[in-house]
Amino acid sequence: MTAPHPLLTLTEEVADALRDGAPVVALESTIISHGMPYPQNVAMATEVEGIIRDHGAVPATIAVLDGRPRVGLGADDLELLASHGDVTKVSVRDLPLVVARGTHGATTVAATMRLASLAGIEVFVTGGLGGVHRGAQQTFDVSADLTELGQTSVGVVSAGVKSILDIGLTLETLETLGVPVLAVGSDEFPSFYSRSSGHAAPNRVDTAAEVAAVMRAKWDLGLAGGVVVANPIPEEDEIPADEIGLIIDQALADMERLGIHGKDATPYLLGRIVEITGGASLTANIALVRHNARLGAAIARELAALA
Ligand code: PSU
Ligand code: MN
C-alpha cells in the first residue's frame, strides 16, 4: 500500500497490520463522546476493541486529539474521549477546524470513514448510521454520513438506521448515491433497536465472504464510495419496533419543544431515548455494537484473504 497521509498518526500496531495486508477494522469516536453516557461508553469502546482482536483483526479507533488525527488509540485516549467535557462532535466539515485549532474531536461515521480511507482501512464498524432526518423536506437535515458513503471507499457495518430518521428517504438517498445496501441474513432492512423496519432490504447477503466480494467488486470496477452492511440486532437483544416507536415519537416531540436541531439533534435524541427507556436502549445499543464488531472482523479477514 501507499504510505498513509502525513497528517495522520497511526499506532505501530495499525501501521504494521496495514503494511502486512492484515485485517484492520476502524471504529468511530462520536459514539463514545456523544452517543453513550459515561462510564458505559468507555467500557463499550474497550470491549469492542477486544472483540475485534479476538476475531482476528486489529482495531483502529479514530479521533482527533490535540488537533492530530489519530488512527488507533490507547486506554488513556479512550478514557479522555469518554469523559472529557470538551470534545467536539466532528463530521467532515469540522475536521479542518479541530486540526487547525489543535483541539479534541470525536469523529462521526462521515469523518471516521474519511480518516480510515486516508489511512488505507477498508472496513469500519459502528452502531447506527446517520441519514435523512424525519421532516428533512422542511429542515434539509441530511447527515453528511450519506455524502461520505457516496464518495469514500469504506465498507460500514451498522445495525441499520434508527427510526429517529426517515428510513425510506435514507434508502432512496443511498440508491441515488450509488451505495450498495446489504442486509445480513435478513430480507428486511433493520432499524437499529429492532430487526424490522417495514422496509425491504435492497439486497440480502448471508456471509461475511459475500460482503467482502461485493466491496472488492465495487472498488475493482472503479466505483468510488462506500458499502452499507446492515446487520440486524440479535433477536434476544431487540426492542420491538412498536415499543421503541412510541418512545422515539416522544423524544422527537421533546426535541422540537426545546428547539434542538443541527449537529445536536442526534446526540440529544440518543440521550433522551436512554432516559425514557430507563437504560434499556443503551443495553440494546451496546449489544448491537458487539454483534457488529464480530461481523466487521470477519469481513476484514475475508477481504485480506481476497487480496
Ligand atoms: N447513531 C447512533 N449513535 C451515534 C450516532 C448515530 O446510534 O453515536 C452518531 C454517529 O457518529 C453518526 C452521527 O455518524 O451520530 C450522525 O450525526 P448527524 O446526524 O449529525 O450527521
Ligand atoms: Mn444533521
Side-chain angles (χ1 to χ4, degrees), residues 28 30-31 34-35 89 91 107-110 126-131 133 141 143-145 162 192 262-263 266-267 270 285:
E28 63 150 309
T30 292
I31 189 174
H34 302 280
K89 177 183 166 191
S91 192
T107 49
T108 62
V109 168
T126 186
L129 297 179
H133 281 259
D141 191 349
S143 175
D145 292 357
K162 266 179 294 315
F192 195 81
K263 71 189 286 187
T266 301
L270 291 171
N285 196 344

Side-chain angles (χ1 to χ4, degrees), residues 27 32 39-53 59 61 74-76 78-79 82:
L27 297 160
I32 305 173
Q40 289 94 336
N41 54 0
V42 64
M44 177 279 305
T46 307
E47 187 193 354
V48 164
E49 289 202 351
I51 291 170
I52 286 170
R53 279 181 211 289
T61 304
D76 292 352
L78 295 180
E79 179 68 25

